[in-house]
Amino acid sequence: QVQLVESGGALVQAGGSLRLSCAVSGHTFSGLTMGWFRQAPGKEREFVAAISRNSIVTSYANSVKGRFTISRDNAKNTLYLQTNSLKPEDTAIYYCAASEKVGMRRDYEYDYWGQGTQVTVSS
């Protein structure tokens, strides 16, 4: 059974930084495309960032490009999202997702999801 467990969410002031982590078990991590999505209150879930199996390809939403960095450590079965220069509009539950396919930006392309970690950015 594949499990994804996020951590690292917190309350932070605007301009601050957080590092989110996602620990994966029950699957060969290096065989998974990984992504981060987020959902703010009253809004639909949206794509944030994704990374290919070998870390060569990354993709970002325009709203986070230049501020967030996605990375992975295949030896530790862990996905990361470094978030810098946080803004109040980044407030959301952040979800880690894993895909056995090669698509990256659409939530329907992902097979497994974590429970989420709350990021709150105060102004």
Side-chain angles (χ1 to χ4, degrees):
Q1 182 177 357
V2 182
Q3 288 191 319
L4 285 69
V5 180
E6 303 96 334
S7 61
L11 171 63
V12 63
Q13 288 189 331
S17 299
L18 286 173
R19 188 194 198 198
L20 307 184
S21 298
C22 173
V24 179
S25 60
H27 198 290
T28 303
F29 183 67
S30 59
L32 296 168
T33 297
M34 299 297 300
W36 289 98
F37 290 76
R38 67 185 182 186
Q39 187 167 21
K43 295 188 176 181
E44 293 188 352
R45 185 167 58 192
E46 64 175 359
F47 169 76
V48 175
I51 188 167
S52 64
R53 300 168 185 178
N54 54 13
S55 301
I56 291 178
V57 179
T58 58
S59 180
Y60 295 92
N62 288 337
S63 59
V64 306
K65 198 172 295 184
R67 299 188 298 122
F68 291 11
T69 302
I70 190 170
S71 62
R72 64 191 294 164
D73 186 335
N74 285 352
K76 295 183 178 180
N77 293 349
T78 303
L79 176 73
Y80 303 101
L81 185 69
Q82 179 66 42
T83 67
N84 298 328
S85 303
L86 283 162
K87 305 175 182 180
E89 51 264 43
D90 294 318
T91 295
I93 298 175
Y94 282 70
Y95 296 93
C96 169
S99 172
E100 296 174 343
K101 299 174 281 294
V102 296
M104 302 179 85
R105 300 179 66 95
R106 309 300 180 194
D107 56 3
Y108 58 76
E109 295 173 311
Y110 288 81
D111 304 292
Y112 310 104
W113 292 83
Q115 293 300 306
T117 186
Q118 176 71 50
V119 172
T120 303
V121 185
S122 63
S123 57

